[in-house]
Amino acid sequence: MATPVGWSQGGSGSGSGSVCLAFDQLRDVIESQEELIHQLRNVMVLQDENFVSKEEFQAVEKKLVEEKAAHAKTKVLLAKEEEKLQFALGEVEVLSKQLEKEKLAFEKALSTVKSRALQESSKKDQLITKCNGRREARASSHAYIHGLFPNSPVPVSRAGFHPNFCPRLRIQAGPGGPHLRKGLQGPGRPRK
C-alpha cells in the first residue's frame, strides 16, 4: 500500500515511529476487511447459484400443489377403473365356466348323436344285407318258377311297382321260404 501524502516512511524523530506503526496497523485492518469482503462476495455468488427468489419459490410451490391435486384425482379414477376391471374379470370367469359347461354338454350330446348315427348306420347295413339275401333267395325261386313256367308273369303290386320297390314291403320267412307280405298272404292268396 502506498504511503499517504504528508506521511513519511520511516523518519527521524520519535513521532514518526508511532505514526508508522498506526499506519501499518490500519493497513492490516483494511487488508483483512478487503479479504472479508471478498469472501462475503463469494458466499453471495454461491447463494445466488443455490437459492431462488421468493416469486420463483411460490410459483414452484403452487405448481406442486396443483400436481398433488391432479395426482389425487388420478388416484381416485384409477381406483374406480380397477374396481370395474375386477368386476369384468369376475364376469369373464363366470362366463368361462358357463362356456366350459356348455362345451362339455355339447360334446356329450354330439357323442350321443354320433353313437346313435353309428348304430342306425349299422342297422341299415344289416337290413340292406338281409334284404339283399332275401332278394337273392326270391330271385332264385322266381328263376326256378320261370324255368318251370316260362310264360308266367312277374308279380306286380297294386301300385304298379315291382314288389321290391315298395318301402313298406315286409319280408317274412315261413315254412315254404320267404313270402312277401303286402296285401297277400302266402304266394298269390288275398288277405282276409
Side-chain angles (χ1 to χ4, degrees), residues 134-150 152-156 162-164 178-180 187:
R134 300 283 171 118
R135 259 193 216 134
E136 288 174 9
R138 199 170 57 78
S140 63
S141 69
H142 277 290
Y144 176 73
I145 291 172
H146 284 295
L148 294 175
F149 307 103
S152 79
V154 175
V156 177
H162 193 274
N164 289 344
H179 299 288
L180 298 175

Short mmCIF file of all heavy atoms in Angstrom, two decimals, residues 134-150 152-156 162-164 178-180 187:
data_model
loop_
_atom_site.label_atom_id
_atom_site.label_comp_id
_atom_site.label_asym_id
_atom_site.label_seq_id
_atom_site.Cartn_x
_atom_site.Cartn_y
_atom_site.Cartn_z
N ARG A 134 -82.48 -111.87 -49.02
CA ARG A 134 -83.84 -112.32 -49.33
C ARG A 134 -84.12 -112.17 -50.82
O ARG A 134 -84.77 -113.00 -51.42
CB ARG A 134 -84.85 -111.50 -48.53
CG ARG A 134 -84.71 -111.60 -47.04
CD ARG A 134 -85.28 -112.90 -46.55
NE ARG A 134 -84.97 -113.12 -45.16
CZ ARG A 134 -85.86 -113.23 -44.21
NH1 ARG A 134 -87.14 -113.13 -44.51
NH2 ARG A 134 -85.50 -113.45 -42.98
N ARG A 135 -83.63 -111.06 -51.41
CA ARG A 135 -83.84 -110.86 -52.85
C ARG A 135 -83.20 -111.97 -53.67
O ARG A 135 -83.79 -112.46 -54.63
CB ARG A 135 -83.23 -109.51 -53.26
CG ARG A 135 -84.22 -108.44 -53.41
CD ARG A 135 -83.65 -107.24 -54.11
NE ARG A 135 -84.27 -106.08 -53.49
CZ ARG A 135 -83.66 -105.01 -53.09
NH1 ARG A 135 -82.38 -104.88 -53.25
NH2 ARG A 135 -84.32 -104.03 -52.53
N GLU A 136 -81.98 -112.27 -53.26
CA GLU A 136 -81.28 -113.34 -53.99
C GLU A 136 -82.03 -114.67 -53.86
O GLU A 136 -82.18 -115.40 -54.83
CB GLU A 136 -79.86 -113.48 -53.46
CG GLU A 136 -78.96 -112.34 -53.86
CD GLU A 136 -77.59 -112.42 -53.21
OE1 GLU A 136 -77.27 -113.44 -52.58
OE2 GLU A 136 -76.83 -111.44 -53.32
N ALA A 137 -82.56 -114.90 -52.63
CA ALA A 137 -83.32 -116.15 -52.44
C ALA A 137 -84.60 -116.12 -53.27
O ALA A 137 -84.97 -117.11 -53.91
CB ALA A 137 -83.65 -116.32 -50.96
N ARG A 138 -85.29 -114.98 -53.27
CA ARG A 138 -86.51 -114.85 -54.04
C ARG A 138 -86.23 -114.91 -55.54
O ARG A 138 -86.97 -115.52 -56.30
CB ARG A 138 -87.21 -113.54 -53.69
CG ARG A 138 -88.67 -113.58 -54.09
CD ARG A 138 -89.44 -112.42 -53.56
NE ARG A 138 -88.95 -111.12 -53.91
CZ ARG A 138 -89.14 -110.49 -55.08
NH1 ARG A 138 -89.79 -111.00 -56.01
NH2 ARG A 138 -88.68 -109.33 -55.32
N ALA A 139 -85.13 -114.24 -55.94
CA ALA A 139 -84.77 -114.26 -57.36
C ALA A 139 -84.49 -115.68 -57.81
O ALA A 139 -84.89 -116.08 -58.91
CB ALA A 139 -83.58 -113.36 -57.61
N SER A 140 -83.84 -116.45 -56.96
CA SER A 140 -83.55 -117.83 -57.36
C SER A 140 -84.84 -118.64 -57.41
O SER A 140 -85.02 -119.48 -58.30
CB SER A 140 -82.54 -118.47 -56.42
OG SER A 140 -83.07 -118.54 -55.12
N SER A 141 -85.81 -118.35 -56.49
CA SER A 141 -87.09 -119.08 -56.54
C SER A 141 -87.89 -118.65 -57.76
O SER A 141 -88.55 -119.46 -58.40
CB SER A 141 -87.89 -118.88 -55.25
OG SER A 141 -88.34 -117.57 -55.16
N HIS A 142 -87.85 -117.34 -58.12
CA HIS A 142 -88.53 -116.88 -59.35
C HIS A 142 -87.89 -117.51 -60.57
O HIS A 142 -88.59 -117.87 -61.52
CB HIS A 142 -88.47 -115.35 -59.46
CG HIS A 142 -89.52 -114.64 -58.69
ND1 HIS A 142 -90.84 -114.66 -59.04
CD2 HIS A 142 -89.44 -113.89 -57.56
CE1 HIS A 142 -91.54 -113.96 -58.17
NE2 HIS A 142 -90.71 -113.48 -57.24
N ALA A 143 -86.59 -117.59 -60.55
CA ALA A 143 -85.91 -118.22 -61.70
C ALA A 143 -86.33 -119.67 -61.83
O ALA A 143 -86.54 -120.18 -62.93
CB ALA A 143 -84.40 -118.10 -61.53
N TYR A 144 -86.50 -120.31 -60.69
CA TYR A 144 -86.93 -121.71 -60.71
C TYR A 144 -88.35 -121.82 -61.25
O TYR A 144 -88.63 -122.63 -62.10
CB TYR A 144 -86.85 -122.28 -59.29
CG TYR A 144 -87.36 -123.69 -59.19
CD1 TYR A 144 -86.62 -124.76 -59.71
CD2 TYR A 144 -88.59 -123.97 -58.60
CE1 TYR A 144 -87.10 -126.05 -59.63
CE2 TYR A 144 -89.08 -125.26 -58.52
CZ TYR A 144 -88.32 -126.31 -59.03
OH TYR A 144 -88.79 -127.58 -58.94
N ILE A 145 -89.24 -120.87 -60.76
CA ILE A 145 -90.63 -120.89 -61.23
C ILE A 145 -90.68 -120.56 -62.71
O ILE A 145 -91.39 -121.19 -63.48
CB ILE A 145 -91.48 -119.90 -60.42
CG1 ILE A 145 -91.64 -120.40 -58.99
CG2 ILE A 145 -92.83 -119.68 -61.06
CD1 ILE A 145 -92.29 -119.41 -58.07
N HIS A 146 -89.94 -119.56 -63.13
CA HIS A 146 -89.94 -119.19 -64.56
C HIS A 146 -89.31 -120.27 -65.40
O HIS A 146 -89.62 -120.39 -66.57
CB HIS A 146 -89.22 -117.85 -64.77
CG HIS A 146 -90.04 -116.67 -64.35
ND1 HIS A 146 -91.21 -116.33 -64.97
CD2 HIS A 146 -89.87 -115.76 -63.36
CE1 HIS A 146 -91.73 -115.27 -64.39
NE2 HIS A 146 -90.92 -114.91 -63.38
N GLY A 147 -88.44 -120.99 -64.77
CA GLY A 147 -87.87 -122.13 -65.52
C GLY A 147 -88.90 -123.20 -65.76
O GLY A 147 -88.95 -123.81 -66.82
N LEU A 148 -89.77 -123.40 -64.76
CA LEU A 148 -90.83 -124.40 -64.92
C LEU A 148 -91.97 -123.84 -65.77
O LEU A 148 -92.57 -124.56 -66.57
CB LEU A 148 -91.38 -124.81 -63.54
CG LEU A 148 -90.39 -125.56 -62.64
CD1 LEU A 148 -91.02 -125.81 -61.29
CD2 LEU A 148 -89.99 -126.88 -63.26
N PHE A 149 -92.31 -122.59 -65.53
CA PHE A 149 -93.41 -121.94 -66.25
C PHE A 149 -92.89 -120.68 -66.93
O PHE A 149 -93.05 -119.58 -66.41
CB PHE A 149 -94.54 -121.58 -65.29
CG PHE A 149 -95.02 -122.72 -64.45
CD1 PHE A 149 -94.65 -122.83 -63.13
CD2 PHE A 149 -95.83 -123.68 -65.02
CE1 PHE A 149 -95.10 -123.88 -62.37
CE2 PHE A 149 -96.28 -124.74 -64.24
CZ PHE A 149 -95.92 -124.86 -62.91
N PRO A 150 -92.28 -120.79 -68.08
CA PRO A 150 -91.65 -119.64 -68.71
C PRO A 150 -92.63 -118.53 -69.09
O PRO A 150 -92.24 -117.39 -69.22
CB PRO A 150 -90.98 -120.21 -69.94
CG PRO A 150 -91.48 -121.58 -70.11
CD PRO A 150 -92.12 -122.01 -68.84
N SER A 152 -95.21 -117.42 -67.24
CA SER A 152 -95.90 -116.79 -66.11
C SER A 152 -95.34 -115.39 -65.89
O SER A 152 -94.15 -115.17 -65.97
CB SER A 152 -95.76 -117.64 -64.86
OG SER A 152 -94.50 -117.43 -64.27
N PRO A 153 -96.24 -114.41 -65.61
CA PRO A 153 -95.79 -113.02 -65.43
C PRO A 153 -95.13 -112.82 -64.06
O PRO A 153 -95.38 -113.56 -63.12
CB PRO A 153 -97.07 -112.21 -65.52
CG PRO A 153 -98.14 -113.16 -65.11
CD PRO A 153 -97.68 -114.54 -65.53
N VAL A 154 -94.30 -111.78 -63.98
CA VAL A 154 -93.65 -111.40 -62.71
C VAL A 154 -94.70 -110.71 -61.85
O VAL A 154 -95.44 -109.88 -62.35
CB VAL A 154 -92.46 -110.45 -62.98
CG1 VAL A 154 -91.85 -109.97 -61.67
CG2 VAL A 154 -91.45 -111.12 -63.85
N PRO A 155 -94.84 -111.06 -60.56
CA PRO A 155 -95.88 -110.42 -59.76
C PRO A 155 -95.64 -108.92 -59.64
O PRO A 155 -94.52 -108.49 -59.46
CB PRO A 155 -95.76 -111.09 -58.40
CG PRO A 155 -94.44 -111.77 -58.39
CD PRO A 155 -94.04 -111.99 -59.80
N VAL A 156 -96.74 -108.16 -59.78
CA VAL A 156 -96.69 -106.70 -59.69
C VAL A 156 -97.66 -106.27 -58.60
O VAL A 156 -98.76 -106.79 -58.53
CB VAL A 156 -97.05 -106.05 -61.04
CG1 VAL A 156 -97.07 -104.54 -60.93
CG2 VAL A 156 -96.11 -106.51 -62.12
N HIS A 162 -92.85 -102.85 -58.94
CA HIS A 162 -92.32 -104.17 -58.62
C HIS A 162 -92.32 -104.33 -57.10
O HIS A 162 -92.07 -103.37 -56.39
CB HIS A 162 -90.89 -104.30 -59.17
CG HIS A 162 -90.38 -105.70 -59.16
ND1 HIS A 162 -89.78 -106.22 -58.06
CD2 HIS A 162 -90.42 -106.68 -60.10
CE1 HIS A 162 -89.43 -107.47 -58.30
NE2 HIS A 162 -89.82 -107.76 -59.55
N PRO A 163 -92.60 -105.49 -56.51
CA PRO A 163 -92.69 -105.63 -55.05
C PRO A 163 -91.41 -105.23 -54.32
O PRO A 163 -91.48 -104.79 -53.19
CB PRO A 163 -92.96 -107.12 -54.85
CG PRO A 163 -93.48 -107.63 -56.14
CD PRO A 163 -92.93 -106.72 -57.20
N ASN A 164 -90.28 -105.34 -54.93
CA ASN A 164 -89.04 -104.95 -54.26
C ASN A 164 -88.90 -103.44 -54.11
O ASN A 164 -88.13 -102.96 -53.31
CB ASN A 164 -87.82 -105.46 -55.03
CG ASN A 164 -87.68 -106.95 -54.92
OD1 ASN A 164 -88.28 -107.56 -54.06
ND2 ASN A 164 -86.90 -107.53 -55.81
N PRO A 178 -89.19 -117.58 -47.97
CA PRO A 178 -89.63 -116.22 -47.72
C PRO A 178 -90.90 -115.88 -48.50
O PRO A 178 -91.07 -116.34 -49.61
CB PRO A 178 -88.45 -115.38 -48.20
CG PRO A 178 -87.70 -116.24 -49.12
CD PRO A 178 -87.95 -117.65 -48.71
N HIS A 179 -91.80 -115.13 -47.88
CA HIS A 179 -93.05 -114.70 -48.52
C HIS A 179 -93.15 -113.20 -48.41
O HIS A 179 -92.78 -112.62 -47.40
CB HIS A 179 -94.26 -115.33 -47.81
CG HIS A 179 -94.26 -116.82 -47.85
ND1 HIS A 179 -94.52 -117.53 -48.99
CD2 HIS A 179 -93.99 -117.73 -46.88
CE1 HIS A 179 -94.44 -118.83 -48.72
NE2 HIS A 179 -94.10 -118.97 -47.43
N LEU A 180 -93.69 -112.61 -49.44
CA LEU A 180 -93.91 -111.17 -49.43
C LEU A 180 -95.21 -110.90 -48.70
O LEU A 180 -96.21 -111.56 -48.95
CB LEU A 180 -93.99 -110.62 -50.85
CG LEU A 180 -92.73 -110.79 -51.68
CD1 LEU A 180 -92.99 -110.30 -53.09
CD2 LEU A 180 -91.60 -110.02 -51.07
N PRO A 187 -98.12 -117.13 -51.11
CA PRO A 187 -97.98 -116.80 -52.53
C PRO A 187 -99.34 -116.79 -53.25
O PRO A 187 -99.96 -117.81 -53.37
CB PRO A 187 -97.06 -117.87 -53.06
CG PRO A 187 -97.04 -118.95 -52.04
CD PRO A 187 -97.53 -118.38 -50.76
#
